[in-house]
Amino acid sequence: MEEIFIDNKKSYLLANSPFLEIPELVEKRRCLHCDEVFKIEDYKVFKDIAGDEFICCPNAPDCDGTIIDWVRE
Ligand SMILES: [Zn+2]
């Protein structure tokens, strides 16, 4: 997976989040895979060889959690 750098993380989230409710970038979430609390704005984006993009945990690639693995504190 190749990391993609996102200029406008709010716009990217609006366009690519699987959820209807888009959180504010300053909100915090806990990643269920690495159990770490982080700010939404610290998310990373990775692209696989098929060209699909994934909104990933800030600890990626060490952590394989994506946006669907994040819960409210
Ligand atoms: Zn994680």
Side-chain angles (χ1 to χ4, degrees):
M1 297 257 270
E2 174 195 350
E3 184 169 5
I4 298 172
F5 292 93
I6 305 300
D7 286 333
N8 188 327
K9 287 193 158 177
K10 181 75 179 178
S11 298
Y12 186 88
L13 209 54
L14 282 168
N16 296 284
S17 171
F19 303 114
L20 290 176
E21 183 195 351
I22 307 298
E24 293 299 323
L25 293 182
V26 294
E27 286 182 42
K28 290 184 175 175
R29 290 292 186 272
R30 177 183 299 279
C31 173
L32 293 175
H33 285 220
C34 63
D35 204 37
E36 193 162 301
V37 176
F38 58 91
K39 269 200 214 168
I40 300 275
E41 65 185 358
D42 292 329
Y43 74 80
K44 291 181 177 177
V45 176
F46 284 83
K47 183 163 76 174
D48 69 11
I49 51 174
D52 292 321
E53 297 177 10
F54 298 89
I55 300 171
C56 299
C57 173
N59 291 324
D62 293 332
C63 174
D64 63 358
T66 65
I67 190 168
I68 59 169
D69 304 306
W70 304 348
V71 294
R72 287 175 196 275
E73 265 287 82

